[in-house]
Amino acid sequence: MAAVAARVARQRAAAEGLGSSQKAVRYLGQDFETLRRQCLDSGLLFKDPEFPACPSALGYKDLGPCSPRTQGVVWKRPTELCPSPQFIVGGATRTDICQGDLGDCWLLAAIASLTLNRELLYRVVPRDQSFQENYAGIFRFQFWQYGEWVEVVVDDRLPTKNGKLLFLHSEEGSEFWSALLEKAYAKLNGSYEALTGGSTVEGFEDFTGGISEFYNLKKPPASLFQIIRKALRSGSLLACSIDISSAAETEAITSQKLVKGHAYSVTGVEEVDFRGCPERLIRLRNPWGEVEWKGAWSDDAPEWNYIDPTQKEQLGKKAEDGEFWMSFSDFLRQFSRLEICSLSLDSLSSEEVHKWSLVLFNGRWTRGSTAGGCQNYPATYWTNPQFKIHLDEVDDHQEEGVSEPCCTVLLGLMQKNRRRQKRMGQGMLSIGYAVYKIPKELESHTDAHLGRDFFLGRPPAARSSTYVNLREVSARVQLPPGEYVVVPATFEPFQDGDFCLRVFSEKKAKALEIGDVVVGNPHEPRPSEVEQEDGQLRSLFEKFAGKDSEIRANELRTALNEVFSKRPCLL
């Protein structure tokens, strides 16, 4: 009953706007206005009890209390670092983001892209903050988290070494919005070290509430340049990277000064007239700042001498700021993947504008109950959470190559809170989902959990491309009208984790979670294990039973304990 009451309370609060960007949830119950007023009234600067300026805020392993990297760290307020600190100087720009001694280039690339969209930026970084008016040592930021916006407050004590900021900093030494944003995001995820390593789309989605799609640059669509241009014009956030083949290649610098396994922001595309022919260019930014591409169209490249001086000026070429132009053809040759976080879900290759409908589910995989694993484990797969969607209105405009009327659906499965659990040794789970068509004869019977027999030998109508250890897997699918069940799963069974499932549809879709929590078989043995255990039981039975084939209760207990003690621990 308590769970039902809590769900009803959440639904009522959401209906009243709580969790929207205009009425964000107070993270950890901390209210910015109340805390600032208390500090101003007392004359004391804010000290955040929920994220104190101490070693635990830095990290737990590489940035733990005994790490050489954290020796000599002193927490200082901006007022102690420069005579006249500013929150934002001359508007927040992508050059305000320079990487420090933390492997969070993925996050910095996302922040740099965020500065290209003023509306989004000032939703995440409220402008009514300064070190002059009503300064109380407290600042606030907003992030999207699993279906709702949350407001995170921090004090302005920042980790320094030798009088300089240890982590993210602005090129302008007196500007601190980006360093404080990084601190707020570290608080949300448990520590600064929790931000090490990641995919830029994770930051994109937490800054926008949008959903991301990936492009393999080794097999790009023919219209990719137009797709990127439309994405930038529509305010989407973009990043790219070069894949690595081994851990040793991480952040290795190529002969032309590109960094492998490193997140770059995509900040612009342009077509110029070069010696009488059109040349497509793309602009990227490296959060490191000074390491830039040295090939064609780099800052000092001779190609710039052959384009119109006015256009050259408009493109804003500047030396050693981490941002550079390169030809689009070089971009496709040098980089491996492109990530686009769209705020509008309209196809980036189409000029059509649609209104998308969203249904969001929150769920959990629980060991021994709803953590059934993927289809490779048929005895437990059916115990995974199940969600029914009803599609009865086809798209207004069918995509080319689609032979029958279909409904376009974009599914995004996101695992929750995994960064906070990194300090306990828990990384991202490998996750995926499958979509199954419900036959007509079962459509009125899907208030109950679909059982094992339903899934045996039944191919999915659609599925995520692979099980992968990213925070979110997503894909667009075209499905004929009808009823479907979506099964989100981890690759391996018996793995605990929280998730949210987002179902975007061009037409409004009816959706609900089906069935009660079920108790699945806590161990699904492989055939070889069954044969081995059967043999062990048989030999033990013969040992204790003797010639009369009878066995006493205490002998049976001894035999069973000996066999089952060799199974994997389930606790």
Side-chain angles (χ1 to χ4, degrees), residues 2 52 160 197 268 270 283 295 301 313 319 322 352 400 421 467 505:
T160 70
E270 193 64 62
R283 186 176 64 199
E313 183 68 25
E352 297 291 340
E400 289 185 21
Q421 295 161 358
Y467 282 79
S505 55

Side-chain angles (χ1 to χ4, degrees), residues 165-213:
L165 291 178
L166 185 59
F167 302 131
L168 194 163
H169 54 280
S170 172
E171 197 175 58
E172 169 57 64
S174 62
E175 183 176 48
F176 291 94
W177 73 268
S178 55
L180 291 166
L181 171 61
E182 182 187 47
K183 181 176 183 178
Y185 201 64
K187 176 180 177 178
L188 188 65
N189 287 283
S191 68
Y192 278 96
E193 187 173 354
L195 305 184
T196 302
S199 172
T200 302
V201 297
E202 190 174 336
F204 283 169
E205 292 181 337
D206 285 351
F207 294 154
T208 66
I211 193 164
S212 299
E213 297 178 84

